[in-house]
Amino acid sequence: MAEFLDLESQDSVRMPWNVLPGTKADAANCVIPISAVYTPLKPLPAAMPLLPYSPLRCRNCRSVISPFSIVDFSSINKIWICSFCLQRNHFPPHYQSISEQNLPAELFPQYTTIEYETTAPHEKAEGGSSNVFLFVVDTCVIEEELGFLKSALLQVLGMVPENCLIGLITFGTYVHVHELGFGQLPKVHVFKGTKEVTKDQLLEQMGFFLKRPRPTAGVIAGVRDGLSQESVARFLLPASDCEFVLNSILEELQKDPWPVPSDQRAARCTGTALSLAAHLLGVCVPGSGARIMAFLGGPSTEGPGAIISKNLSEPIRSHKDLDKDSVPHYHKAVKFYEALSRQLVHQGHVLDVFACALDQVGVAELKVAIEKTGGLVVLAESFGHSVFKDSLRRVFQSGDNDLGLSSNGIFEINCSKDIKIQGIIGPCASLDKKGPLCSETVIGQGNTTAWKLCGLDKTTSLCIIFDVIKKENPDIIAQSANNQFFFQFLTYYQHGNGQMRLRATTLSRRWVAGPGIKEDLISGFDQEAAAVVMARQVSFKMETEAEFDPIRWLDKSLIHICSQFGEYQKDSPSSFSLSPRLSIFPQFMFHLRRSQFVQVFNNSPDETAYFRMILNRENIANSVVMIQPSLISYSFQSGPEPALLDVASIAADRILLLDSYFTIVVFHGSTIAQWRKAGYHELPEHQAFAHLLQAPRDDADAIIRERFPVPRLVICDQHGSQARFLLAKLNPSATYNSDGVAPGGDIIFTDDVSFEVFLDHLQRLAVQ
Amino acid sequence: MATPGGPRPGNAPPNHNPNALANNMQNLQINQPNQQQSSNVGGTAPRPPNTSPFGQQPPPFTGSRPGPPPPGVFARGPSPPSTPAQTTLPPNMVPARPTGPPPGSRPPPFASRPPPSGALPSSMTGTAAPPHSGAGPRPGPFSSSPLTSGPSAPPQMSSHGPVSNGPPAFAPGMTQSGPRFPPAMGGMPRPSAGPPQSTPMLSSGPSSQPLQVRPSFGSPPAGALSSIGQPAPPFSAPSQAPPFSAASQAPPFSASPQNMPPPPGSLPFSPPVPGVLQSSGSPYGMQTWPPQQQQQQVAPPPPIPGAMQKQQMFGMPPGQPPLPNQSMSLGQTGQSKIDPNQIPRLSTSSSVILHETRHDNQANPPPPATSDYIVKDTGNCSPRYIRCTINQIPCTVDLLSTSAMQLALLVQPLALPHPSEEPIQVVDFGESGPVRCSRCKSYINPFMKFIDQGRRFICNFCGFTDETPRDYHCNLGPDGRRRDADERPELCRGTVEFIASKEYMVRDPMPAVFFFLIDVSMNAIQTGATAAACSAISQVISDLPEGPRTMVGIATFDSTIHFYNLKRALQQPLMLIVPDVQDVYTPLESDVIVQLAECRQHLEILLESIPTMFQNNRIADSAFGAAVKAAFLAMKNTGGKLLVFQSVLPSTGIGSLSAREAEGRSNISAGEKEAHKLLLPVDKTLKTMAIEFAEYQVCVDLFITTQTYVDIASLSVVPKTTGGQVYYYYPFSALSDAAKLYNDLRWNVMRPQGFEAVMRVRCSQGIQVQEYSGNFCKRIPTDVDLPAIDCDKTIMVSLKHDDKLQEGTECAFQCALLYTTVYGQRRIRVSTLSLPCTNMLSNLFRSADLDTQFACILKQAANEIPSGPLAQVRDQATNACINILYSYRKFCATVSSSGQLILPEALKLLPLYTLALLKSNGLRTDGRIDDRSFWMNYVSPLPTPLVIPLVYPRMIAIHELDEKELELDDSVIPTSIPLSSEHISDDGVYLLENGQDCLIYVGTSVQQNVLQQLFGISSVEEISNQFILEQYDNPLSKKLNAIVNEIRRQRCSYLRLKLCKKGDSSGMMFFSYMVEDKTPSGLSYVEYLIHIHRQIQSKMT
């Protein structure tokens, strides 16, 4: 396992198969596809230099020179050979001085991942205007919520870097585009919520071409294309310039004044508001990094993108409704947001959603727009909840735990010719750059070798799925001299400081073919990565494939893998054993089956969409926690130690810390709970107890500090109502119909199978 | 039943106290004394709003016209009347009252002539003033001319002369107008212009007979002319010469045979034959102007027999048809000589007439609409509320069509009463609502006949017998009337107001909502229109009704619409822009319209900052239609008044318009036939919108402050349909129009008015309403929907017969207006008018109401302008006149010789007015499209008293004010001068006003000190085209200001002042008002008379 982590720390990449099946048939037997989970902006070791020049590129395939390139120092005209297409390339003159002893950094063997600062003159020109934040604020919420939201926003305003541009749109029944640059009065452009406005109309109606003739043709976009800075500056202002105005607007912000009949939902035109925000950014700052930050307090009921009618008698959609396809608004809304996402991707802008409501707000429909633009999403019950408040603060926080928000990324892949790309599951959008590397099988964002990442941050992780197309061919096996596959991931992006950068990661993986490859493959198997890839895959399939049965698919895959890679005698379940490399994979699968990603019926479509979006953007470590939460036990007897994710881990004198990524539960055993209630920890003689109580809290805080979105912290006692957050995640080894009493004194009221039963079945089926 | 009326504070001071108006009247020099008086009058509550809680139900308007119009105030009343008590009225007024057909009393005076006649005249028309003036200056020319001209006439003349001069009160001139004129006239022109001619004329053709003038109208003008004493009317010689000059000087009287028959009085002209109308002296008598062509019209021209008796008048039972009329002999050949001074002219009177609506249980014919009168409601409603074109109703449709007159009512339900009139009584019937006929739903009124010991009553409209509600029962007295009839206003007054019960409300009475919508497009900003509007609104805010029911909103617009959230909680008003002008909406449902008390500060700040906020606005487009629609949407829940300030042609958004005028101009040669289409709305968009507005009780008033074409034809549809009106400031000048804008706006919001009104007129069986016309929306044929109605709005109701009426019965008309006061009371104002029915054609002519008839003709013409070629409309107007005169000539004036043009006394000015109409903005061929559209629109709701000045403005001489000061008694306004350029002298300064505009013409050789005193300039060249009237510290200037203020008060209009001088366009404009002149496209008055005469003659044969 450790070696995979090392690899990850060097190249930010985790692959289920680090030794690849060399042929199509072998790959098919592997069940889990050849894939990579790549975190493009994972912070590099501090020692890594930032190369202040543009990389050398192969003149044939445009891949970037890497340590794997073969360099011929001998000839006078020094030459490097592209490792992907074997093209011979001359070095440019300024490289003439290189030698084996004098290598440029990009050729250092350990610098398989390296970052260049590219010069992009036009981007440079804009220099400082690093980022644009356009707040889109829902006002159809109760006063209390609005109060929370206002204070959160006011707080955040103070944190926005001074050179960032800020804009504000509020909406309810109508959309209010605030003109922050108008000194005399607060000024608002009001658009009807029920009507979609086109970009042209917006240009027209907001008076962007008042003082100069409108270009007769061509795309109208930004200052470069004929818009006066003045007219842009009406809506988007440097934070330092508009702080006062914005503060007063926010302070006076009122609940949407339109009356709501008691049998109706508030008229909320989320879709129109977002569309207007997109237009506004498209008009003012196309191509430069900008984020639409939407704060939603309820479902959209008005205009395009409505997810439900205003009539309260119509219940909001559930998974069941979606399955039955009986949701009248769903497809229309999704279609609308797809169009919005296309527009945003085209403009290079991000949609972030902060959905804070007890009700669903339509994240399921918005998912496409958030995900394709690489937006952040936070789901909470209330604007007053710390999940929201702290998450929002994190976005603007600088320092160690900053999110490293970057923008305008373009991601490209080069790989050896026997490998093709099926697609990417993750927060990106296809740029439709088709080429020979595109596989015919498509998953996620496929059919391309370049993707747009409008927004990306330090943890944004893409799951790239490949296809081996090499046919089984004895010859090939014979000449295994060159059994390396190469992958190169190129990420251009605009760094938070405004620089344009290019990060190049080049990977080389050995492939094997023919009989007897099992051991080789096992040796390169990364269970965690595999589990995550399976999770992303199953989520994706559940969303896209009709009639898809995820449990069955997961079980079949697991059984297949077990029978493929397990050691057993046929039809003898008891003889079954798995290599340590694979040993906990079944457990991952067991928990995955029980996870929120697969068991959707306890969740709303919004929650499911939320979970999946996070899953699709997080790195392996975080994703694994989502799939199989971690459980740490604290007791007087021992220090913190991992505990089995099993109901059996519950004990009266233990404190458990469960990290299921979205929720962190501090669970006090019944005895501890009693002590706590009695207030012993406040007594000086019981300092140890106080420490015991504090330890999990400290650990939880540490987790919370690093995580985005900020998880929900639940502190509960055994048998308390909140204990359900823990129990739901535990292996139900003791249920109400198991015999005897569990050691911890707790049982789980469920009919779900326990892990033991699951394993029994697995062994039985695997050996058949 | 609550006791109706009684204590009801109907009298409570009107809520609207015009005084308030005065205070801010800019640029008005206020007569302090008057003001004080006024305030006294208002007496009880100067600022009613505060003082009178609703509970008291101060009838908003009842108080009569908002009180004593303080000087400076618009209120019309002449200052004197302002005093509360009638007693204050000049003594002579009272007797004077009976203008037209005074009962027998008059005649004697005539006969005896001198003294009484004097009294009459003054009283009659209130001509007191005019005569004097006439008299005053007269002497000179007068004496001389008569002498020269004619032996016979002169003597009398002279005799009069002195008399007149002496006691101003008696203007002998009046009655004897006949005699007087000639001399005067002669005198005037002759001296300078054409003495030679004159003489010959005289000798040759003593053609013209002295005009007989009804006291009210007749002579004064002439007098005035003379007084002005134009040394040499520029045109006089040539123009007049042919037709009139001869006649005029002819002091026909003297020379001409007609004169021969010396009137009984001393009047030379009075026809020898008693029956003849001739007598110039007798107001009613017909004057015939013998045709001059033939040498002598020796023939005594007593056209109509019995003319003498005219004096018996209307009140008289039918039977005697003494028809007052006036005849002129006009030469068919055109050689006719007519004395222009003898032809009928309007005279204004400044003395007050006291009018009882019924007398001896007979309807009393009303005084002229243009006169100043005080009404005592004795059963019929005041003529201010309803005037009928004929004060007797023809029994059959045949009779009516024979007369060629039309039968119509002009209804002005909230008309401003005279301050001295009793307020309208308010009657509360409690929950059950007012008593009404159960069949036709007409309201209880003095003409419902109670029978069967009061247990039942017979409806005077449908004849149905209703049960008297038990609560309302009362025994009858010996006279057959209910014993309580005199205590119950609804049984003894022509006009009462009922408190509406629940069943009259579909919702709670709406609040008073005022929404201001201001154009801030580039043009509006740059011309200062926006600033003017903002400043006007800002000042007017304090004049809006007080109280929690007053709500205001404000929005501005260019190519987008900007609303303002005025909620007090906000630190600043919040500007809400509606950018979509194709599909508009209101950005907020609440908070855009806020209680005035809550947003006063915000509003003030906002109004102050709007002009600067948009200072650099470069948006030239204006989304009028969209803005109006959006504002409407904001007001939809309540309804209310939408006041729009628009400066340019709406060029974008819903209902945008194009400069079709320009297109029209380029096509005009080709498409002359289609020219009138430019006066029609371009399409239905605005109309459709307006109908929706009306449905939701939104009334739009449009203030157009522009310097270009704005397509008023299209725009005006909105105000017209919603009961609003158009104000037009063209070309707008921020300097000189700001004050008017403010005052117009102020009057608009302060004047007595009501909201969400419905009006219906009911008629007795046999007559029914044919059509309503005015500014309103009509969804069902019987009712008129008025989102708002105010004291200045008049609705014309044309009537038709559907059955015969019985001679000797009365026919009643009842106008019921259900409305909400600005203080949120639902009221029904019911005015009932009962008129006698007649079978006699002559009665119709005798009881014709000229002002009303002409108002109808004018309004009909205005309605028809857009629907056909202009020539056709003009012909129709002339034909209407001809047909009436022809009918009279043929059926009532049988005896007269064919050579005479015989005019019924009551309608003698019809030709003059018709001619003036033809020359008015609306019917002129050369006017700007917008001017004509505005004219049409202005005319539509125009009250009768303003109709006449509109076509025949009042002109007075300013430069002589000083000298005449002493002669002027309490009336501020001097005698007016006929609108003929021969009365304008080069060294004179004249003021001409038509209720809208006020032109001050400065001749080229005016004395420098006059200029200095009046305008503070030393030469005519310094006159700027942006004029502001200032008051300087000298009597002349003060006098002028006093006059202007008085006119403003009378007209309830601030007047657009313009200074005109000869030789430029302003001068041209001034002279275009000289309707009696011959113009390239129009006949002179005399020519027109001849034209009409010929037409009649040709019909006769």
Side-chain angles (χ1 to χ4, degrees), chain B residues 409-430:
Chain B
L409 304 175
L410 283 174
V411 180
Q412 191 178 358
L414 297 185
L416 214 52
H418 192 283
S420 306
E421 288 171 7
E422 275 181 37
I424 293 177
Q425 309 238 32
V426 179
V427 181
D428 189 350
F429 276 91

Side-chain angles (χ1 to χ4, degrees), chain A residues 174 176 182 184-192 195 205 210 252 254 257-259, chain B residues 560 570-577 579-580 583 585-589 606 613 619:
Chain A
Y174 289 169
H176 292 190
F182 188 75
Q184 286 154 336
L185 283 185
K187 186 170 172 183
V188 174
H189 295 253
V190 184
F191 291 84
K192 211 170 179 174
K195 190 174 167 185
Q205 297 179 355
L210 279 183
E252 293 193 346
Q254 312 231 325
W258 294 85
Chain B
T560 57
L570 301 176
Q571 288 174 356
Q572 274 183 300
L574 166 67
M575 183 197 263
L576 298 148
I577 300 175
D580 188 345
D583 175 19
Y585 40 89
T586 171
L588 280 180
E589 191 170 59
L606 184 62
M613 220 153 59
I619 302 176

Side-chain angles (χ1 to χ4, degrees), chain A residues 80 375 464:
Chain A
W80 61 277
I464 307 141

Side-chain angles (χ1 to χ4, degrees), chain B residues 26-49:
Chain B
Q26 294 184 344
N27 191 26
L28 255 189
Q29 282 71 26
I30 297 176
N31 284 340
Q32 284 314 323
N34 280 343
Q35 186 168 25
Q36 289 172 350
Q37 280 188 350
S38 63
S39 60
N40 294 339
V41 176
T44 45
R47 284 308 277 264

Side-chain angles (χ1 to χ4, degrees), chain B residues 785-1001:
Chain B
D785 290 327
L786 297 145
I789 176 140
D790 55 69
C791 64
D792 295 335
K793 298 290 189 302
T794 301
I795 289 162
M796 178 168 76
V797 185
S798 48
L799 306 171
K800 68 178 180 194
H801 284 76
D802 57 4
D803 201 353
K804 282 187 179 162
L805 302 172
Q806 285 300 313
E807 170 102 41
T809 61
E810 291 207 331
C811 175
F813 306 95
Q814 185 174 69
C815 163
L817 177 78
L818 173 63
Y819 71 104
T820 300
T821 68
V822 287
Y823 297 102
Q825 267 202 354
R826 200 82 172 130
R827 297 269 186 92
I828 308 156
R829 178 174 288 200
V830 176
S831 295
T832 312
L833 175 67
S834 189
L835 296 173
C837 304
T838 184
N839 259 323
M840 301 283 293
L841 189 58
S842 54
N843 281 345
L844 294 187
F845 280 104
R846 193 171 44 209
S847 60
D849 184 321
L850 170 67
D851 295 346
T852 315
Q853 294 237 351
F854 177 69
C856 289
I857 292 175
L858 174 99
K859 285 170 190 247
Q860 277 164 359
N863 286 342
E864 280 158 19
I865 290 173
S867 54
L870 192 57
Q872 195 177 312
V873 180
R874 294 166 61 93
D875 286 350
Q876 276 172 10
T878 301
N879 286 340
C881 173
I882 290 171
N883 289 339
I884 293 171
L885 299 180
Y886 164 72
S887 168
Y888 183 75
R889 177 77 174 75
K890 181 168 182 190
F891 301 105
C892 299
T894 48
V895 190
S896 76
S897 87
S898 66
Q900 285 177 316
L901 170 59
I902 301 179
L903 304 175
E905 176 62 23
L907 299 176
K908 68 181 176 192
L909 289 173
L910 189 58
L912 175 58
Y913 290 165
T914 308
L915 172 66
L917 171 61
L918 297 182
K919 293 181 175 181
S920 66
N921 267 340
L923 272 69
R924 271 216 300 260
T925 43
D926 55 349
R928 291 172 65 249
I929 291 290
D930 264 358
D931 285 343
R932 296 179 58 199
S933 298
F934 171 69
W935 187 88
M936 286 157 47
N937 197 263
Y938 176 72
V939 153
S940 164
L942 196 63
T944 321
L946 286 175
V947 166
I948 305 301
L950 177 67
V951 296
Y952 196 90
R954 166 161 58 183
M955 178 163 74
I956 54 180
I958 300 295
H959 56 288
E960 294 168 336
L961 287 174
D962 241 358
E963 306 154 26
K964 283 194 274 179
E965 195 166 17
L966 288 176
E967 297 169 37
L968 294 167
D969 50 16
D970 48 359
S971 89
V972 185
I973 302 182
T975 315
S976 53
I977 310 170
L979 296 177
S980 164
S981 48
E982 74 187 76
H983 296 282
I984 298 190
S985 97
D986 240 6
D987 60 358
V989 176
Y990 303 89
L991 180 148
L992 178 146
E993 63 87 15
N994 64 2
Q996 267 282 296
D997 295 314
C998 178
L999 307 183
I1000 298 181
Y1001 175 80

